[in-house]
Amino acid sequence: MTTWIAQGQLALVNALIVFIVTFVPVVVWQYRRYGRPNAARLLGAFGLSSYTTALLTYTWLPLPDPATLDCAVAPDARVVPFAMVGDIARAVERFGLPEALWSFTVLQVVLNVVLFVPWGAVVRQFLHRGLLVTTLSGLGASVLIETAQLTGLFGLYPCAYRTFDVDDLITNTFGAFAGAVLAPAILAWMPRARELAVQRHVPRRVTMVRRWLGMAADAFAFFVLSSVLSVLTLTSALLLGFDTTGGIGSFGWVAFAITVGIPWIVCFVVPPWGGYAASGGQYMVWLTPMWRDAAGRRTHGTLAQRLVRAHIVPGPMLVTLVLDEWLDLDSWVSLGWVAVAGIAVVMVPFTRTFRSLSGVVSRCEMVDIRFVDDIPDEVVEPSALS
């Protein structure tokens, strides 16, 4: 029981970390899909992250130290279906009926069922899948988990460090089925994505929260893309036989071009060439910068105006990174571009149309894309509203 409590605490900590990391992408995704965030489905997203981390924590963690793993006494696989019935009968015979209900044998079966009830509820009501698909998805997830246990986490360990039990497949699948049946009652308060998405093209006023979210989404996209490319570069170098002990920095300008140059082009150079002139983060929250011509009419601006606006805040960061790669600057020099980014964030609520520093310097306004007459409605496939 102490182990289960410890795993529950670990799962909660992991869930909070996952939710914090994914909060901005989830909110931005809701803006794009529903037109605005929905508190109930945000709570559902937190529940989903909590459940996913709890599931992996209880089934895979804690990971053993490979050096201390004794494969000679690795747990045996249990491949006889419904062996749990005999285990429960022996527990009742040994302890008697109310004590047996609290024995590890019975609690393990019950918890295996309970562990997948949320799976059934989430897939049925949150993801809107049918009873059969939900139950089969629970079976598939259980097979994945048990296979990982049988193969030593897919070969990461030389042998299994947990017991494969076919009865777990049965109880997990039943739990998913039970959750699917109970889902309409458990999650009756959860609005359907299809209903929320109906209003996604309704124009709404620009707010400072949307502006901040667009900024956060751009920063998130840049750093995530840079991190992914760093990992891919190091992995490729390792497979090709290069020395990677010095990290990504040991590859000099090549690594810089891959991990900084490519994300920079994707996030800050390519978007201004598009029809909306909006960055990826702005587009996801339905915002776009617009300029006024001599007659006072709103326009999408010239390419030069777009590129200047796109680089006013992130530009100092690029200059600093280039100079640091070239001259190996002191770390305090980076405070300059950090200050520029901070000023841009602080200026949002104090500027017209929440245009912030980039808007003031480039003389643009922030507009809801859905207010722009010459931007056609997006074609939304029915499957995207499910």
Side-chain angles (χ1 to χ4, degrees), residues 205-212 287-290 292 298 347-356 359-360 363-368:
R205 66 186 183 90
V206 179
T207 65
M208 63 181 180
V209 173
R210 285 172 68 186
R211 189 74 171 92
W212 278 330
L287 294 179
T288 186
M290 298 196 74
R292 291 189 181 272
R298 282 176 175 166
M347 283 183 64
V348 169
F350 303 104
T351 50
R352 180 166 50 88
T353 70
F354 304 106
R355 57 185 178 167
S356 188
V360 172
R363 304 178 65 84
C364 73
E365 304 173 5
M366 297 307 298
V367 180
D368 189 307

Side-chain angles (χ1 to χ4, degrees), residues 28-241:
V28 169
W29 168 251
Q30 287 200 354
Y31 258 115
R32 195 65 204 165
R33 192 176 185 192
Y34 310 139
R36 67 172 68 178
N38 181 266
R41 292 193 72 86
L42 274 177
L43 182 60
F46 174 69
L48 182 59
S49 68
S50 301
Y51 171 70
T52 303
T53 53
L55 185 63
L56 296 178
T57 299
Y58 276 106
T59 56
W60 287 356
L61 300 181
L63 297 176
D65 182 353
T68 62
L69 187 62
D70 186 359
C71 291
V73 293
D76 296 326
R78 289 163 52 103
V79 295
V80 179
F82 297 105
M84 59 183 171
V85 176
D87 294 339
I88 294 173
R90 284 188 290 274
V92 172
E93 181 180 351
R94 179 180 178 185
F95 301 111
L97 252 181
E99 290 81 4
L101 296 178
W102 295 100
S103 67
F104 177 80
T105 301
V106 175
L107 286 177
Q108 186 177 31
V109 173
V110 173
L111 287 175
N112 277 333
V113 174
V114 171
L115 190 62
F116 267 70
V117 169
W119 180 282
V122 167
V123 175
R124 178 80 187 277
Q125 198 74 8
F126 191 72
L127 302 181
H128 309 300
R129 297 297 179 260
L131 182 62
L132 178 60
V133 171
T134 300
T135 304
L136 291 177
S137 71
L139 173 61
S142 183
V143 168
L144 178 66
I145 290 170
E146 293 299 316
T147 301
Q149 293 177 346
L150 180 64
T151 59
L153 205 54
F154 305 109
L156 182 63
Y157 291 93
C159 59
Y161 63 91
R162 288 200 174 195
T163 302
F164 170 89
D165 193 342
V166 70
D167 280 347
D168 289 350
L169 299 178
I170 297 171
T171 52
N172 292 161
T173 304
F174 178 75
F177 170 76
V181 172
L182 297 172
I186 296 174
L187 296 177
W189 51 273
M190 180 69 66
R192 295 182 63 85
R194 185 186 301 273
E195 297 168 356
L196 295 174
V198 169
Q199 299 295 318
R200 71 191 296 257
H201 290 290
V202 176
R204 295 178 174 88
R205 66 186 183 90
V206 179
T207 65
M208 63 181 180
V209 173
R210 285 172 68 186
R211 189 74 171 92
W212 278 330
L213 278 172
M215 290 178 170
D218 284 331
F220 183 87
F222 178 83
F223 287 110
V224 167
L225 182 55
S226 178
S227 299
V228 170
L229 289 174
S230 296
V231 172
L232 292 177
T233 301
L234 284 173
T235 303
S236 301
L238 185 63
L239 292 175
L240 293 173

Side-chain angles (χ1 to χ4, degrees), residues 315-357:
M317 181 180 73
L318 178 63
V319 172
T320 303
L321 292 175
V322 170
L323 291 176
D324 182 51
E325 183 68 24
W326 184 21
L327 304 173
D328 193 17
L329 303 174
D330 292 332
S331 58
W332 61 266
V333 177
S334 64
L335 294 177
W337 73 260
V338 172
V340 172
I343 291 171
V345 172
V346 172
M347 283 183 64
V348 169
F350 303 104
T351 50
R352 180 166 50 88
T353 70
F354 304 106
R355 57 185 178 167
S356 188
L357 178 63

